[in-house]
Amino acid sequence: ILNYAQKNEFETTKMLTLLLNDVNYLIDEVITRFSDIKTYQDLKDDTEKWNAMSEEEKSSEDGNFAENDRLVKPEIKMLNSSLKFLVTMCSYLQKYFLGLKLAERLAVSLNYCLNQFTSKSSKLKIKNKAEYEFSPSLILVSLIKIYICFIEYEEFLQFVVTDEANYKYDNFLLALKIKNSKSKVKVDYITSEQFDNFVDNVLKKAEEKFKKETISYDDAPEEFVDPITAELMNDPVILPSSKVV
């Protein structure tokens, strides 16, 4: 994998981009289809409401269910395999994700997946879940492993906590609670300990650092502001000829 990435940067970038696109697409598809299946099952359970519907309406609902039932099974298999492949890629290509400018997309994608499965978990509670070979626990394991691959990469952590659309610290607390309470979430001891530290300490420190960096310095004295970039100077120097700071 490393040799291929070194020799084929363009192809590697394309492959990883497509992989992230697939994961996001499949997450949406699976959640939407399960949501529709749950709505159908709830409707069938409400005998009075179901019997009040016309035969045409019942036929339409049955048809939609059959399509969702048929399509969601291969999509779940593809999602599981795509996430497992992404775990492998992230285990070896951390620096390439950063160097190829894909780290931000990865962080957003992970946050999005975690947010979808925590915020919409009630829509996934369908009957006969085992028939679909659907395991939110397996998906959570993959997400945990990928986050841990980048635990020592500050730039990646910043992308995680600055993702305003999807990042919610409560999602990580819930993931931690699920990991510690469900035997189906099987991660090795070291990864489990690392994720505990990731949620309890690493994310908190990354949040605090970002908040400090985003403090407004609009009222800073002019001599502390770079005359070219208009940013607060961290390491000011005096230019030798003009004497401008």
Side-chain angles (χ1 to χ4, degrees):
I1 291 171
L2 285 170
N3 287 337
Y4 183 87
Q6 289 170 351
K7 296 176 182 177
N8 304 277
E9 184 175 304
F10 175 78
E11 288 81 1
T12 302
T13 304
K14 183 178 179 181
M15 176 187 69
L16 295 175
T17 301
L18 291 172
L19 182 56
L20 292 176
N21 289 344
D22 283 349
V23 168
N24 286 342
Y25 170 77
L26 290 165
I27 287 285
D28 282 338
E29 284 291 294
V30 168
I31 288 178
T32 299
R33 294 197 190 283
F34 271 142
S35 177
D36 290 344
I37 288 172
K38 186 178 188 316
T39 300
Y40 172 81
Q41 290 177 341
D42 291 343
L43 182 61
K44 289 291 292 279
D45 287 342
D46 190 337
T47 308
E48 183 178 346
K49 192 172 182 179
W50 178 260
N51 291 336
M53 295 170 61
S54 67
E55 290 303 315
E56 185 178 348
E57 289 173 328
K58 290 179 182 178
S59 178
S60 176
E61 292 291 341
D62 288 337
N64 289 334
F65 167 74
E67 182 178 10
N68 286 320
D69 180 70
R70 176 176 62 84
L71 293 176
V72 76
K73 293 175 182 177
E75 287 173 346
I76 289 170
K77 289 183 178 180
M78 183 63 75
L79 175 60
N80 289 336
S81 63
S82 295
L83 281 171
K84 288 174 73 175
F85 184 48
L86 186 57
V87 170
T88 302
M89 294 296 101
C90 291
S91 298
Y92 296 101
L93 299 179
Q94 295 98 325
K95 292 181 181 178
Y96 285 89
F97 272 99
L98 294 168
L100 299 174
K101 307 299 182 184
L102 287 171
E104 184 171 10
R105 286 203 60 190
L106 174 63
V108 170
S109 182
L110 292 176
N111 287 347
Y112 178 75
C113 292
L114 189 64
N115 188 37
Q116 292 298 302
F117 275 95
T118 52
S119 65
K120 299 183 179 179
S121 58
S122 61
K123 296 181 180 181
L124 304 176
K125 295 178 180 178
I126 63 172
K127 297 178 182 177
N128 307 321
K129 190 184 294 184
E131 292 182 10
Y132 295 96
E133 298 180 18
F134 175 62
S135 173
S137 300
L138 269 179
I139 292 173
L140 180 58
V141 167
S142 294
L143 296 178
I144 287 173
K145 288 180 177 178
I146 296 170
Y147 278 116
I148 294 308
C149 286
F150 292 88
I151 194 171
E152 296 180 357
Y153 292 84
E154 192 172 295
E155 183 180 350
F156 179 81
L157 296 174
Q158 182 174 337
F159 289 138
V160 171
V161 300
T162 56
D163 173 19
E164 295 182 2
N166 303 292
Y167 175 74
K168 297 181 181 67
Y169 184 67
D170 286 348
N171 290 343
F172 289 89
L173 290 176
L174 181 58
L176 192 64
K177 182 180 179 181
I178 294 170
K179 177 186 74 69
N180 294 333
S181 63
K182 290 194 174 182
S183 58
K184 290 182 180 179
V185 183
K186 295 180 180 179
V187 291
D188 61 86
Y189 177 77
I190 294 176
T191 302
S192 179
E193 290 286 297
Q194 286 178 320
F195 190 68
D196 290 348
N197 179 51
F198 181 76
V199 176
D200 293 336
N201 300 308
V202 176
L203 281 180
K204 280 295 184 184
K205 289 179 180 178
E207 278 186 5
E208 290 171 5
K209 183 175 181 181
F210 171 70
K211 287 177 182 177
K212 288 179 181 178
E213 291 177 352
T214 55
I215 294 173
S216 174
Y217 293 105
D218 291 340
D219 59 346
E222 190 174 335
E223 62 266 27
F224 295 151
V225 178
D226 186 298
I228 298 174
T229 65
E231 295 177 353
L232 194 72
M233 292 183 286
N234 291 320
D235 185 20
V237 296
I238 299 176
L239 300 180
S241 56
S242 64
K243 304 301 180 185
V244 172
V245 179

